[in-house]
Amino acid sequence: MKRIFIALGFLLIANFVFAQRFDAGLIAGFNGTQVEGDNLKGYHKAGVLAGIFVQTDIAPAIVAGMEIKYSQKGSRRSFDPKQPDIDKYVMRLGYIDIPLFMAFRTNDRSMIIGGIAPGVLIHSKELNSDGEIPEPDRQDFNTFDLQPFVGFQFDFLEHASVDLRFALSVIPSSDKSETNYYFHNGLFNNVISLALYYRLGR
């Protein structure tokens, strides 16, 4: 964790050192998540995301950049009184993601974004109606995640943008699976995120 905060500080400082070329700023928002392969349909698990970004124009209409952010993922099945035999279940996964992206400016205020986000799992928890599931009964989650993503960003103020993205893992978060339709094995994070990007400096 110490190394992560050092990296975050370095990226913010870089914005001022290279102020004529780079933009840097803060990210805050939330995720709507589900897990492919667990038979729980729908983006029922909400999570927060927060971090920083740095980006630069590499051509008149093309932007390249990277981010470091904390991102909550997972899935949820709430208790349904109409189906009392089906237990509540919540999977909470917390990652440090480092998205790398390219963006194409469609006009002066918006751009289409695409990239890939490697991530590291820093905490996990599973709960049911009785509370937190004991460690011996929990599933083993993989340490690394890798999510290609696409999205759209719109500048609604001079220094502020809203960012909408869709990401789907290509590395399983767990080798356990309840279905056989997505890569035939494992659980995969499926995330829709909505975030505010605030540019510092200029």
Side-chain angles (χ1 to χ4, degrees):
M1 289 297 292
K2 182 178 179 180
R3 293 181 180 179
I4 292 170
F5 285 113
I6 291 174
L8 291 175
F10 175 78
L11 288 177
L12 288 175
I13 293 171
N15 179 56
F16 297 99
V17 175
F18 303 104
Q20 297 304 312
R21 184 174 179 183
F22 289 88
D23 288 323
L26 307 174
I27 305 168
F30 63 90
N31 296 325
T33 70
Q34 64 177 351
V35 171
E36 299 292 340
D38 67 356
N39 265 337
L40 304 180
K41 301 294 185 180
Y43 295 90
H44 302 304
K45 172 68 174 64
V48 301
L49 66 88
I52 65 169
F53 70 91
V54 61
Q55 65 184 40
T56 185
D57 294 338
I58 60 175
I62 300 176
V63 177
M66 69 171 291
E67 303 165 359
I68 300 178
K69 59 188 180 184
Y70 170 71
S71 182
Q72 293 180 337
K73 306 171 188 178
S75 66
R76 172 186 294 273
R77 178 179 59 218
S78 299
F79 176 74
D80 186 352
K82 297 180 181 179
Q83 297 177 302
D85 295 335
I86 299 179
D87 198 10
K88 168 187 173 181
Y89 176 74
V90 181
M91 179 194 298
R92 294 177 179 170
L93 305 177
Y95 291 85
I96 296 296
D97 289 339
I98 308 178
L100 306 173
F101 66 86
M102 298 282 287
F104 176 76
R105 295 189 187 278
T106 56
N107 55 52
D108 291 341
R109 303 187 68 180
S110 62
M111 58 186 184
I112 298 171
I113 297 174
I116 192 162
V120 177
L121 181 69
I122 59 172
H123 66 79
S124 64
K125 182 182 292 187
E126 293 178 281
L127 303 98
N128 57 24
S129 298
D130 297 323
E132 186 173 351
I133 297 175
E135 186 170 352
D137 298 327
R138 299 177 199 165
Q139 59 184 303
D140 293 326
F141 292 102
N142 297 325
T143 303
F144 296 102
D145 190 26
L146 188 66
Q147 290 192 309
F149 63 88
V150 295
F152 176 80
Q153 192 171 112
F154 177 74
D155 298 340
F156 64 93
L157 293 174
E158 182 179 359
H159 288 274
S161 305
V162 63
D163 182 285
L164 177 66
R165 296 186 189 181
F166 172 78
L168 182 62
S169 294
V170 294
I171 294 178
S173 60
S174 172
D175 294 328
K176 177 182 177 181
S177 178
E178 302 294 337
T179 67
N180 292 314
Y181 66 90
Y182 184 67
F183 285 4
H184 304 290
N185 188 30
L187 303 179
F188 297 81
N189 290 312
N190 184 334
V191 181
I192 294 177
S193 63
L194 182 65
L196 176 68
Y197 280 60
Y198 183 80
R199 290 180 294 278
L200 303 175
R202 293 176 296 168

